[in-house]
Amino acid sequence: MRTASINRKTHETDIAVEVNLDGTGSYDVSTGIGFLDHMIEQFSRHSLIDITCKIAGDLHVDQHHTTEDSAIAIGQAIASAMGDKAGIGRYGDVHSPMDEALCRVSLDISGRPYFVWKAAFTQEKLGEFDTELVEHWFHSISQAVGITLHMELLYGTNNHHICEGLFKGFARAMRCAVELDPRKGGAIPSTKGILGQDTL
């Protein structure tokens, strides 16, 4: 089983994360931000990555540190669980519909983080969650895992649907990318024999 745990403590957050890449999509999430919990749960359920994420953050300041650090810790755990990335699918490309909204998520677990965001919200909050932090969550996890990540809202008007479509699309693309492909025979999916900075 490809599993990892991360314990990360700063003056801003105290986080404990566990992941299982070969899971069933079970989760136990408590960040102190209800909408963020809901989105991380969606990510777990649709990626089939089991996630435990417990955070005590400085929410008396704002939601930024807790949101950012949840993505960093989950990303670090996923990267650790993948190890040298031998046998993974590496790529994911998904169209994600939710009612009137349609999102596209394309990613490459290349070890070279790069983030492109083409989406926007028309309201500042979803529940108590600051919508500007959605982009930051994805940027942070792409850096932590080492993903080239492209996210785009093709069309849509409902802010909740847009956000959930992006998280579910990311989840489904990650499922494709982290799953082991038996045809690869455990080979690292790169002609260079490694995946990381400055490799293709």
Side-chain angles (χ1 to χ4, degrees), residues 21-79:
L21 301 185
D22 303 305
T24 59
S26 66
Y27 51 80
D28 184 6
V29 179
S30 179
T31 67
I33 306 170
F35 192 83
L36 180 59
D37 289 355
H38 180 46
M39 291 301 103
I40 295 173
E41 289 165 359
Q42 294 290 348
F43 172 57
S44 172
R45 176 56 51 86
H46 293 280
S47 67
L48 298 183
I49 298 172
D50 294 345
I51 297 176
T52 298
C53 180
K54 303 289 187 178
I55 306 178
D58 59 353
L59 295 178
H60 64 285
V61 177
D62 65 9
Q63 300 174 341
H64 184 100
H65 299 142
T66 296
T67 301
E68 177 182 58
D69 290 0
S70 71
I72 292 171
I74 291 170
Q76 289 174 338
I78 290 171

Side-chain angles (χ1 to χ4, degrees), residues 96-141:
S96 179
M98 186 161 185
D99 294 351
E100 88 299 339
L102 182 63
C103 304
R104 182 177 182 184
V105 179
S106 297
L107 61 84
D108 172 15
I109 304 179
S110 60
R112 300 183 315 279
Y114 196 92
F115 182 59
V116 176
W117 174 264
K118 294 185 177 182
F121 298 96
T122 58
Q123 62 190 61
E124 293 183 358
K125 289 184 178 292
L126 286 165
E128 294 300 313
F129 186 60
D130 299 326
T131 52
E132 70 174 5
L133 294 176
V134 175
E135 177 182 0
H136 191 56
W137 193 91
F138 285 115
H139 180 265
S140 298
I141 200 168

